[in-house]
Amino acid sequence: VDEKPDKFLIQSVQLRPEYQALVEETRAEESGNQVSDVLQKMWQETTKNQLNSTKLQCTFNFPEPDETTAAINHAQARGSATATAAELEDIHKLRKKYNELVNFTVQLTSERDRLRTSYKETTKELQAMRQRENISGDDGKYQGSGGSTMATVSGGFPLWQVMLVAVFSFLLARIIGSDLL
């Protein structure tokens, strides 16, 4: 007996009429991806108050060795099965590996869906930033109002102006310093 029960949260929501019509239309067109898109949109618009949630606790009970032996003996006595304890153990191991693969697949699918959602959100944010900052997608340079491609700090001075002031200040300080000596 597995000591840690598995817990499952089952959530459901009633299919709203407007979405039911969309689902029926897309099913008539035999477009499975569009049906899932419609349902995904419905789930995104669902509030917590509309959800029905149920928690299930399940425990998988492995057959006891004595039960297995009794089952083998009973089956062999009837002549309907010739499975040995080793064969049943192999079946048990295969079933366990299969369940692990199913769980891994579910995790990968969940991760894929999460990454797709994250990708879509990031793409939207990037597009919004490009529109706000007037950044060209081709060369990544700032396109100011004058059409100059020189990089500027937001709200600051262009680099060439800063350098010009620095050189001018240096020369002025040298001239004034030499006059004082």
Side-chain angles (χ1 to χ4, degrees), residues 11 34 55 62 64 70 77 101 109 167 171-172:
Q11 293 183 324
Q34 290 179 352
K55 290 183 182 177
F62 295 98
E64 296 295 326
L101 284 173
T109 303
V167 169
L171 292 174
L172 186 62

Side-chain angles (χ1 to χ4, degrees), residues 67-88:
E67 292 176 12
T68 305
T69 306
I72 292 171
N73 291 339
H74 180 67
Q76 287 177 344
R78 287 184 302 142
S80 62
T82 58
T84 64
E87 291 172 334
L88 286 178

Side-chain angles (χ1 to χ4, degrees), residues 50-113:
Q50 296 171 322
L51 283 176
N52 299 319
S53 297
T54 303
K55 290 183 182 177
L56 299 178
Q57 290 189 355
C58 304
T59 304
F60 182 76
N61 295 324
F62 295 98
E64 296 295 326
D66 296 333
E67 292 176 12
T68 305
T69 306
I72 292 171
N73 291 339
H74 180 67
Q76 287 177 344
R78 287 184 302 142
S80 62
T82 58
T84 64
E87 291 172 334
L88 286 178
E89 184 65 27
D90 287 343
I91 291 171
H92 172 71
K93 287 179 183 177
L94 287 173
R95 183 174 292 151
K96 189 173 182 177
K97 286 182 181 180
Y98 172 78
N99 289 336
E100 289 173 1
L101 284 173
V102 168
N103 289 335
F104 183 68
T105 303
V106 168
Q107 289 175 350
L108 286 177
T109 303
S110 173
E111 181 73 11
R112 180 203 63 201
D113 294 342

Side-chain angles (χ1 to χ4, degrees), residues 22-58:
L22 284 172
V23 167
E24 290 173 2
E25 287 175 19
T26 52
R27 278 192 181 155
E29 297 170 3
E30 296 182 6
S31 177
N33 288 340
Q34 290 179 352
V35 171
S36 65
D37 291 343
V38 168
L39 294 175
Q40 185 176 8
K41 182 178 179 186
M42 182 193 73
W43 273 102
Q44 290 173 346
E45 294 175 358
T46 301
T47 63
K48 287 186 178 183
N49 295 337
Q50 296 171 322
L51 283 176
N52 299 319
S53 297
T54 303
K55 290 183 182 177
L56 299 178
Q57 290 189 355
C58 304

